Amino acid sequence: MEFRYLGNSGLKISEITYGNWLTHGSQVENDAAIACVRAALDAGITTFDTADVYANTAAESVLGEALKGQRRESLEIFTKVYFPTGPKGHNDTGLSRKHIHESINGSLQRLGTDHVDLYQAHRYDYETPLEETMQAFADLVRQGKVLYVGVSEWTADQLRAGHALAKDLGFQLISNQPQYSMLWRVIEEKVVPTSRELGISQIVWSPVAQGILTGKYQPGQQPPAGSRATDEKGGADMIADFMTDETLTAVQGLAPIAADLGLTMAQLAVAWVLQNDNVASALIGASRPEQVSENVKASGVKLDAEVLARIDDALGAV
Ligand code: NDP
């Protein structure tokens, strides 16, 4: 496993992070969830990502259980705040000082730790003054509950504003967590150039487009049993936008490229996001330990310009 610095900070994270959205506390039984975390640790992953909203807090609890007994100093544990996690009261959402302070305490308890390495604003809050949000994060940093602060799916302008306020308050905004894969490249236009300028890294989610880029979904055929596309607890809805014949057909064109490199399609997809030097880590999910063991082999793989061009040709306009 290779490690990269997260933004302009001294924190090194594994270039592949394990995340538990839609799996822990939901699609996947706890034994399988724990087996996935063990596979991640065995493969050298040290960075783990979750959120209080995943499975209405259950995902944090499962991850906390799975990491019990591990040396805390050897792990980077990331979580997020913004969305409501239960019955929605009027202050149970967003990035107000109240919601942030109350949410971190629940997350720390469920994760079984007295601090998280990265606390992320899961979305931008258009209702709360940004000054209030950043002051609340600054206070958590001073209290030692949070070591570093990041955000998720913020625009270039939002990153710039948050970064400036953090600097005034004596801490740094070091990361953004956006969707990024061969099939979803939106951040390349504005978010990545602005982040490079500010010293912010991307931790990118869904690098295999939720399973689509593994090639296991064939156009015109039923999805394999047990896959996310058959998960009625939420996964099927989340992956639906990618499940078009046009996309699935184009993705099959990546198979010979992966084969020529001696990689699986999943490894090619994870390696692809890691070619972007503004990406600190590819944030993978898994429903089985074998998927983790397979996908981590993308760490350290270099793709040359010819391979990148072949990928673009295969995917065409999708
Ligand atoms: P991926 O693109 O890595 O998709 C993971 C899923 O793809 C697995 O659960 C599995 O689903 C399938 N898969 C993965 N590898 C293989 C393989 N080798 N062979 C066959 N199938 C495979 O990422 P996710 O969409 O799971 O997201 C990863 C993480 O990103 C989340 O856990 C979360 O931490 C973060 N995230 C953040 C968001 C944000 O707003 N900040 C939003 C979404 C995710 P199956 O076996 O069920 O088909």
Side-chain angles (χ1 to χ4, degrees):
M1 178 59 60
E2 300 200 1
F3 294 82
R4 296 186 183 189
Y5 283 103
L6 190 57
N8 185 20
S9 82
L11 180 68
K12 286 183 207 158
I13 66 171
S14 50
E15 68 176 14
I16 298 185
T17 295
Y18 174 82
N20 68 358
W21 174 60
L22 295 176
T23 52
H24 295 192
S26 184
Q27 177 197 6
V28 169
E29 297 299 331
N30 286 0
D31 286 354
I34 289 170
C36 286
V37 171
R38 296 256 166 247
L41 292 165
D42 289 348
I45 289 179
T46 59
T47 311
F48 292 84
D49 180 82
T50 185
D52 57 358
V53 69
Y54 295 168
N56 271 335
T57 70
E60 283 186 335
S61 302
V62 175
L63 184 63
E65 188 60 35
L67 291 175
K68 210 179 254 175
Q70 297 298 318
R71 182 173 175 270
R72 181 66 185 85
E73 293 83 349
S74 302
L75 302 173
E76 299 82 47
I77 301 178
F78 299 175
T79 193
K80 315 185 193 82
V81 57
Y82 175 90
F83 292 106
T85 54
K88 191 176 165 193
H90 54 280
N91 273 316
D92 294 337
T93 190
L95 298 177
S96 68
R97 181 174 185 77
K98 179 170 170 64
H99 190 229
I100 289 176
H101 275 263
E102 290 167 353
S103 298
I104 189 66
N105 292 331
S107 290
L108 293 177
Q109 197 181 19
R110 288 185 290 271
L111 288 164
T113 181
D114 63 357
H115 66 280
V116 289
D117 298 281
L118 185 75
Y119 202 37
Q120 302 158 103
H122 209 154
R123 290 292 181 271
Y124 189 83
D125 183 350
Y126 292 88
E127 313 290 326
T128 301
L130 187 56
E131 291 79 0
E132 174 178 336
T133 297
M134 299 315 278
Q135 182 67 62
F137 282 133
D139 292 345
L140 294 186
V141 170
R142 274 188 208 104
Q143 289 166 19
K145 292 179 179 178
V146 165
L147 301 191
Y148 297 91
V149 176
V151 301
S152 173
E153 293 291 4
W154 281 26
T155 65
D157 288 347
Q158 290 164 352
L159 289 172
R160 192 179 291 286
H163 184 268
L165 276 170
K167 203 169 169 202
D168 289 348
L169 291 163
F171 72 101
Q172 278 199 86
L173 185 61
I174 61 168
S175 64
N176 181 43
Q177 189 177 125
Q179 180 172 187
Y180 186 52
S181 70
M182 291 175 190
L183 294 176
W184 195 272
R185 306 184 186 193
V186 181
I187 57 168
E188 289 177 353
E189 194 189 344
K190 289 187 183 154
V191 166
V192 165
T194 300
S195 297
R196 282 202 178 105
E197 182 195 325
L198 299 175
I200 292 174
S201 290
Q202 314 303 316
I203 305 162
V204 300
W205 58 269
S206 295
V208 302
Q210 304 193 46
I212 300 287
L213 288 166
T214 68
K216 70 180 175 182
Y217 298 108
Q218 302 283 339
Q221 291 182 23
Q222 288 300 312
S227 62
R228 184 171 292 183
T230 64
D231 171 25
E232 295 304 331
K233 289 183 186 158
D237 291 340
M238 292 297 172
I239 202 173
D241 284 351
F242 287 126
M243 295 286 291
T244 65
D245 277 357
E246 189 194 8
T247 298
L248 300 184
T249 303
V251 165
Q252 291 307 316
L254 299 170
I257 305 173
D260 287 351
L261 296 168
L263 299 173
T264 66
M265 289 174 71
Q267 289 162 348
L268 180 69
V270 176
W272 185 89
V273 300
L274 290 172
Q275 305 309 300
N276 184 323
D277 66 3
N278 189 233
V279 170
S281 194
L283 183 35
I284 64 165
S287 65
R288 290 147 228 226
E290 309 82 74
Q291 295 172 348
V292 181
S293 317
E294 177 186 335
N295 298 3
V296 290
K297 296 199 181 98
S299 175
V301 170
K302 301 278 175 272
L303 305 178
D304 64 24
E306 191 193 329
V307 169
L308 296 176
R310 279 181 75 193
I311 290 170
D312 290 347
D313 282 350
L315 292 176
V318 298

